[in-house]
Amino acid sequence: MIIKENITYRDASRNEFEGVVVWDDSHPQPKPGILVSHMWSGQSGFEVEKATELAQLGYVGFAIDNYGKGRRANGPEDAQKLMDELDHNRPLLQSRMFLAVDTLKKHKAVDDTQIGAIGFCFGGKCVLDLARSGIQIRGVVSFHGLLDPPVPHPNKEIQSAVLVLHGWEDPMALPHDMVKLSEEMNTHKADWNIHIYGHTGHAFTNPKAQFPEKGLFFEPTSNRRSWDAMIYFFNELFD
């Protein structure tokens, strides 16, 4: 049976964050755990749904909260402000991701030696920054993520495998940004792959994205292919 557990977790300053852990309790052995990092508006049903899909694949999905308890956007302006707080303070963003990893590792259903992370849009940036930190987890996957590196760069050897799933027509990260990312990955000795989907813009995994004039639109074929690519990626990485 699929179990969904709402949890509150705290950082060293006692700031509270709200997450949802999802797993299948049909098999009692510890399972690989995968963070699901949210879009710019904050944790929502979208991320919980992805955590549930991961649970159905045999993983423990963890829809994380990088903004804090009760902090969710009511619209684009709110979302931009919330995202900017972390986008302009990448060390803080990194610490929030470390907190989420530590929280997932401690969960009773999780094998703490087998941890991964996926993220969507802003969440893609979050999981890439997690990899850039040099943390030793199995792998991270960015779906239509924001690709720009932090300044200054951590300059650590990237220990986790990296998979980037991106639309060629994504206005938030253009083709030359993917080239820059590949150069960055090589510099820091990452095991990396970038899959580029033609005729595909930003937010291509989100059925609610219906703004083609802004380059944001759901693309069902790329959505399916990218999820299948993620499945293959984690099947290879986890024991």
Side-chain angles (χ1 to χ4, degrees):
M1 183 173 69
I2 298 294
I3 305 295
K4 294 184 181 180
E5 178 186 5
N6 296 309
I7 66 169
T8 298
Y9 57 107
R10 298 170 179 84
D11 63 15
S13 300
R14 308 302 294 172
N15 297 308
E16 292 188 335
F17 302 86
E18 298 174 303
V20 182
V21 181
V22 190
W23 74 99
D24 186 343
D25 70 348
S26 301
H27 304 285
Q29 71 273 17
K31 305 166 183 61
I34 301 177
L35 308 178
V36 182
S37 191
H38 55 73
M39 297 182 282
W40 72 332
S41 56
Q43 189 217 89
S44 68
F46 177 88
E47 290 78 25
V48 176
E49 179 181 338
K50 295 302 180 183
T52 303
E53 292 179 30
L54 289 169
Q56 291 166 345
L57 291 170
Y59 303 124
V60 178
F62 180 25
I64 70 172
D65 171 16
N66 277 329
Y67 290 159
K69 186 174 181 178
R71 305 190 74 214
R72 304 292 186 269
N74 292 319
E77 186 174 339
D78 283 348
Q80 189 68 50
K81 289 179 180 178
L82 287 168
M83 184 179 74
D84 284 348
E85 289 180 12
L86 296 179
D87 202 25
H88 297 161
N89 189 346
R90 302 285 277 274
L92 178 60
L93 169 56
Q94 185 183 96
S95 72
R96 298 272 172 89
M97 293 300 294
F98 285 164
L99 175 66
V101 170
D102 289 343
T103 301
L104 181 59
K105 283 184 172 182
K106 294 173 183 174
H107 194 275
K108 62 184 180 182
V110 172
D111 177 347
D112 64 6
T113 69
Q114 301 200 77
I115 300 295
I118 69 174
F120 300 82
C121 305
F122 173 63
K125 173 179 286 189
C126 295
V127 301
L128 288 173
D129 272 14
L130 183 62
R132 289 167 171 135
S133 75
I135 193 172
Q136 292 188 332
I137 61 174
R138 295 299 181 95
V140 306
V141 182
S142 167
F143 291 84
H144 45 84
L146 308 179
L147 307 181
D148 57 294
V151 178
H153 198 284
N155 286 320
K156 301 286 183 67
E157 183 174 328
I158 294 176
Q159 303 290 323
S160 58
V162 175
L163 175 62
V164 174
L165 306 167
H166 209 77
W168 180 256
E169 298 174 11
D170 189 333
M172 306 296 180
L174 300 169
H176 68 82
D177 296 309
M178 289 180 260
V179 174
K180 288 180 180 178
L181 179 68
S182 65
E183 293 169 345
E184 177 195 356
M185 294 292 106
N186 276 340
T187 296
H188 297 285
K189 301 180 180 179
D191 171 8
W192 64 274
N193 289 271
I194 298 177
H195 294 196
I196 303 171
Y197 301 102
H199 313 292
T200 301
H202 191 64
F204 63 81
T205 65
N206 186 357
K208 294 182 179 179
Q210 301 293 342
F211 306 98
E213 70 281 1
K214 296 181 179 180
L216 282 73
F217 53 94
F218 178 60
E219 212 305 309
T221 300
S222 297
N223 176 49
R224 173 178 52 79
R225 288 172 175 170
S226 64
W227 191 256
D228 287 347
M230 179 213 70
I231 291 172
Y232 182 89
F233 178 76
F234 283 130
N235 280 344
E236 184 178 63
L237 292 178
F238 292 131
D239 297 338

